[in-house]
């Protein structure tokens, strides 16, 4: 037998307020309610009717179903941002930049993955059933984009070498990587190691390859066994470094470069546990220049990647596409720069 409590709870559930209920209270048509609720009254609705509708909305607590109404028109006001690894703090600043440029007219929906897991096109395609106004994809792979085959406005973020797929906003990570290699070589280092991410996206490949190529040109050796990969996670990087460090130390490694600052925090943490002096015995550097890098102990040398401007510019590009405007620059590259701090100085 159904409990009295359950029957009572269902009986007292507050019904959803509809436009028809507002129209009845105000004595107008539902079309008039829609015009008032969506701010499209100019030249269409009298001041008296606007006042009555607004009073009815306030009295009844009516909330516009903006997503439902936009879907009825064939497209929503949703923008989907696909990020390859929600554990990476870098994307928090990217998201902030995207929200700044999109404004209140669009709702930002995130499609994220677990640490170390690349996005799956099949998962994103399920979200396309919402008929988004546009799609932003961060640090994708060519395989992902080929599998996705998304129609409609699309902008790529931090996707070097993939400009043929869609308009893009990229980071010049190679420039910063080369500066870092020259900095370490000029500081007297001759053997280094590299801690990479495991997602295998184009941006991580580019920063690694650019560093290794410039390091070789500067006489800074990075042996095959001195390159390891972990998820973008402090604990995972610390554990990987703890396992690798005894051999690296025996083989004369005096510098560790990390694909992200998050990896570098793990290396710094484990180095302190092992009693390794930074930078006297081991120099450590990363990519991203996260806010904590300036205040860590020691402060972290890092390749500055402008995350917030990246998100802001990508959002601007996408908004232009969604609103039917031609892009003056379909492909934009933002500069990176090396910030030298105590972990290598």
């Amino acid at each position: 037998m159904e409990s009295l409590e359950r029957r009572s709870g269902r009986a007292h559930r507050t019904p959803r307020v509809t436009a028809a209920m507002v129209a009845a209270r105000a004595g107008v048509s539902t079309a008039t309610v829609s015009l008032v609720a969506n701010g499209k009254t100019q030249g269409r609705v009298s001041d008296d009717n606007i006042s009555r509708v607004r009073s009815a909305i306030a009295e009844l607590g009516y909330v516009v179903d903006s997503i439902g109404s936009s879907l009825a028109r064939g497209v929503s006001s949703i923008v989907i941002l696909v990020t390859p690894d929600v554990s990476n703090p870098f994307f928090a600043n990217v998201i902030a930049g995207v929200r700044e440029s999109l404004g209140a007219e669009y709702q930002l929906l995130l499609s994220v993955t677990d640490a170390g897991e690349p996005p799956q096109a099949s998962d994103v395609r399920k979200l396309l059933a919402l008929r988004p106004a546009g799609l932003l994809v961060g640090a994708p792979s060519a395989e992902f984009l080929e599998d996705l085959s998304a129609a409609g406005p699309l902008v790529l973020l931090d996707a070097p070498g993939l400009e043929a797929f869609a308009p893009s906003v990229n980071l010049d990570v190679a420039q910063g990587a080369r500066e870092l290699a020259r900095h370490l070589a000029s500081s007297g280092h001759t053997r280094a190691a590299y801690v990479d991410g495991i997602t295998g996206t184009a941006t991580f490949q580019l920063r690694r390859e650019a560093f290794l190529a410039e390091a070789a040109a500067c006489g800074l050796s990075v042996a095959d066994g001195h390159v390891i990969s972990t998820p973008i996670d402090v604990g995972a990087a610390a554990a990987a470094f703890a396992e690798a460090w005894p051999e690296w130390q025996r083989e004369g490694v005096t510098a560790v470069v990390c694909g992200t600052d998050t990896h570098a925090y793990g290396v710094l943490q484990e180095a302190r546990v092992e009693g390794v002096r930074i930078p006297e015995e081991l120099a450590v550097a990363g990519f991203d220049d996260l806010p904590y890098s300036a205040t860590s102990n020691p402060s972290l040398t890092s390749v500055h990647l402008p995350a917030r401007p990246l998100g802001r510019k990508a959002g601007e590009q996408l908004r232009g596409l969604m609103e039917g405007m031609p892009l003056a620059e379909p492909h934009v590259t933002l500069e990176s720069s090396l910030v030298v701090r105590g972990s290598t100085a």
Side-chain angles (χ1 to χ4, degrees):
M1 179 181 293
E2 185 177 37
S3 70
L4 177 61
E5 182 179 296
R6 288 182 62 190
R7 291 200 306 272
S8 175
R10 186 168 60 195
H12 290 87
R13 186 176 297 162
T14 303
R16 184 175 70 87
V17 177
T18 66
M21 295 165 67
V22 175
R25 174 68 65 92
V28 299
S29 67
T30 55
T32 298
V33 172
S34 177
L35 290 172
V36 174
N38 290 288
K40 299 180 179 179
T41 58
Q42 188 172 6
R44 299 180 177 183
V45 184
S46 68
D47 291 343
D48 181 55
N49 281 346
I50 292 173
S51 178
R52 294 213 304 269
V53 170
R54 287 176 175 169
S55 295
I57 287 174
E59 292 167 9
L60 297 175
Y62 175 62
V63 178
V64 180
D65 182 4
S66 59
I67 292 177
S69 60
S70 58
L71 283 174
R73 298 193 300 271
V75 65
S76 76
S77 56
I78 293 172
V79 169
I80 296 174
L81 171 59
V82 182
T83 62
D85 194 336
V86 71
S87 65
N88 189 349
F90 178 79
F91 284 107
N93 290 323
V94 173
I95 291 167
V98 170
R99 288 179 61 86
E100 283 179 15
S101 56
L102 291 180
E105 293 87 347
Y106 296 96
Q107 290 79 47
L108 185 62
L109 177 65
L110 302 182
S111 175
V112 299
T113 62
D114 293 329
E117 294 295 325
Q120 299 297 316
S122 57
D123 293 335
V124 178
R125 278 197 295 269
K126 293 174 185 176
L127 296 176
L128 297 182
L130 295 172
R131 301 176 190 173
L135 187 64
L136 294 164
V137 181
S141 65
E143 292 75 16
F144 171 82
L145 295 173
E146 290 169 354
D147 194 14
L148 182 63
S149 299
L154 168 66
V155 172
L156 308 180
L157 299 81
D158 196 12
L162 302 177
E163 291 83 358
F165 286 92
S168 62
V169 182
N170 288 319
L171 300 169
D172 190 2
V173 294
Q175 174 60 30
R178 288 190 288 266
E179 286 185 34
L180 178 53
R182 291 193 291 268
H183 164 65
L184 293 175
S186 66
S187 299
H189 296 281
T190 58
R191 291 181 182 270
Y194 196 95
V195 181
D196 204 359
I198 65 173
T199 53
T201 54
T203 181
F204 282 100
Q205 179 181 348
L206 179 57
R207 61 187 75 180
R208 182 186 69 250
E209 291 179 349
F211 174 79
L212 294 178
E214 189 67 19
C218 295
L220 178 58
S221 171
V222 184
D224 290 343
H226 297 166
V227 178
I228 60 175
S229 300
T230 83
I232 303 174
D233 176 79
V234 173
F241 173 74
E243 182 177 352
W245 174 240
E247 179 181 347
W248 289 355
Q249 187 178 34
R250 286 193 300 271
E251 295 179 357
V253 168
T254 60
V256 174
V257 172
C258 301
T260 71
D261 283 5
T262 303
H263 287 103
Y265 300 154
V267 172
L268 289 176
Q269 173 183 293
E270 187 59 30
R272 283 193 294 270
V273 171
E274 297 291 334
V276 180
R277 293 177 300 133
I278 308 292
E280 292 84 358
E281 294 179 74
L282 182 68
V284 180
F287 283 78
D288 292 341
D289 192 25
L290 298 177
Y292 179 67
S293 297
T295 57
S296 62
N297 185 23
S299 56
L300 180 67
T301 291
S302 183
V303 175
H304 175 74
L305 303 179
R308 199 170 188 125
L310 171 67
R312 188 184 305 118
K313 187 61 180 179
E316 290 174 2
Q317 296 281 72
L318 184 65
R319 184 161 187 161
L321 292 175
M322 294 186 298
E323 297 175 359
M325 296 185 291
L327 299 181
E329 293 183 87
H331 304 290
V332 177
T333 299
L334 304 179
E335 292 184 358
S336 66
S337 58
L338 179 65
V339 181
V340 177
R341 299 193 179 98
S343 66
T344 64

